Amino acid sequence: MKVMTCPVNGPRNIAEFQWLGPVRDDEAPEGRALVEHLFFAPNPMGVLREWWRHTPSNTVFIAERHLNTDEILRTYLKGAGTANASGAE
């Protein structure tokens, strides 16, 4: 069983989570950049910051996941940064 650590509820079964996409810049793109922003997701090899939601509690948070190994490195609430980061179990 794969486990992800929710920053609010602790370690939980991965089936309780919903993937919401990669974390992107807050700036509003225009023109061609808008098309790329809407239709092309980044596909880097390495660590990607992603939005996730713990569905039972409706907690939305950021997870850092290594795309080669599918290992969840840490999870944290937006704005918490590294101070309240939790590692995956």
Side-chain angles (χ1 to χ4, degrees):
M1 170 177 70
K2 188 168 183 176
V3 175
M4 178 182 274
T5 302
C6 175
V8 174
N9 301 296
R12 311 297 291 181
N13 185 326
I14 195 76
E16 294 184 13
F17 296 92
Q18 175 187 20
W19 183 76
L20 301 176
V23 174
R24 298 182 184 211
D25 295 334
D26 289 337
E27 63 186 56
E30 296 179 6
R32 176 73 182 157
L34 177 61
V35 172
E36 291 179 14
H37 176 79
L38 294 174
F39 296 105
F40 297 102
N43 189 19
M45 288 292 109
V47 178
L48 181 65
R49 292 180 24 191
E50 305 170 315
W51 288 106
W52 284 81
R53 180 173 74 98
H54 181 238
T55 53
S57 66
N58 202 29
T59 302
V60 176
F61 60 93
I62 298 172
E64 292 181 1
R65 183 171 61 97
H66 197 285
L67 298 179
N68 293 23
T69 62
D70 199 33
E71 177 185 1
I72 300 164
L73 304 174
R74 66 186 187 127
T75 59
Y76 54 93
L77 297 172
K78 182 180 178 184
T82 58
N84 295 332
S86 305
E89 305 260 351

